Amino acid sequence: MQWRYSVVQNVAVFASVLPVIAAWQLVDTLDWYPYFLSAAAGVALALALRGALAVVHARLLRRSAAFVADEVEANDAPGGLLLWLAPPLWGIALGLFANAYLDPSPASEHASEVLRRSHAAKGPGQVVLRGYRPGEAELAIHGNSRLVMRLSEGEAVTILARAGLFGWDRIEAITPRR
C-alpha cells in the first residue's frame, strides 16, 4: 500500500493553490502585474524568513518521513514542495484580498455594453465589454466569472469598479442597465 506519499504531496499542493484560486475567483484585478508583484513579495518574505522556515522545513520533513516510512527513504520524504510553492502563491492571495477588502476608495460606475462572447476550443471563453479605462477599447473577462455569467451579447451594463488599496483596479460588479 503506497498511498501516503501521494496524500502528503496532494495536501501540500492543495494548501498552496486553493487560496490563489479563491482570490482569482473572488477579488481578481484587471491587470496581471499584481500577480507577479505579490508572488515576488511572497518569495522575498520567504527568503527573509528562511531561518524560521528551515526549522519548519525540518519539522515537516521529519513528520512526513515518519508518515511515509515504509514507502520512501527519509531523504525523499515530501514536504519541501510546500515551502517553495506556498509563499509565492499565498503572497498572491494575500495581496489580492488586501487590495480588495482593505480598499477605502469609493466605487465608481461606468456605462458599458457587452460587445461579444468569444468561445474557446476548451473552457469557457471570454465576454468582451466596451472598455472604460483611458486607452482601452475593450475589456475581456473570463466567461466563467460570476460577474458576466448571465449577460448576453449587446446588453447595456453598468460596471462598478474600485481602485483597490494598492491601486490595482478591480471590478466589483457588472449589472444590467435598465
Side-chain angles (χ1 to χ4, degrees):
M1 230 153 106
Q2 299 214 349
W3 57 272
R4 292 184 180 114
Y5 182 84
S6 295
V7 167
V8 173
Q9 286 293 86
N10 287 333
V11 167
V13 169
F14 286 131
S16 298
V17 173
L18 286 179
V20 172
I21 293 172
W24 176 59
Q25 288 294 316
L26 299 174
V27 292
D28 192 17
T29 61
L30 293 177
D31 301 307
W32 281 101
Y33 73 88
Y35 285 83
F36 298 116
L37 288 174
S38 298
V43 169
L45 183 62
L47 290 174
L49 298 174
R50 69 178 171 255
L53 286 178
V55 173
V56 172
H57 184 246
R59 185 176 298 149
L60 272 174
L61 283 178
R62 271 196 315 275
R63 287 189 179 177
S64 67
F67 187 68
V68 298
D70 296 335
E71 296 178 19
V72 296
E73 296 295 320
N75 294 339
D76 297 328
L81 173 71
L82 180 66
L83 293 178
W84 289 109
L85 185 64
L89 295 179
W90 290 349
I92 292 170
L94 183 63
L96 293 178
F97 278 119
N99 183 62
Y101 292 123
L102 301 178
D103 176 22
S105 69
S108 58
E109 290 186 356
H110 306 279
S112 186
E113 70 177 294
V114 179
L115 299 177
R116 66 184 174 280
R117 285 185 169 276
S118 64
H119 301 283
K122 290 184 176 181
Q126 295 182 330
V127 175
V128 180
L129 305 168
R130 187 169 18 93
Y132 67 89
R133 297 193 296 181
E136 178 184 71
E138 296 178 342
L139 172 65
I141 298 179
H142 296 286
N144 65 346
S145 171
R146 63 181 168 72
L147 299 171
V148 295
M149 283 182 147
R150 294 191 172 98
L151 299 178
S152 57
E153 203 167 304
E155 188 172 4
V157 296
T158 300
I159 299 173
L160 187 64
R162 290 191 183 270
L165 177 67
F166 304 121
W168 303 338
D169 293 340
R170 69 181 198 86
I171 296 176
E172 189 170 283
I174 299 175
T175 54
R177 217 173 338 138
R178 310 244 185 268

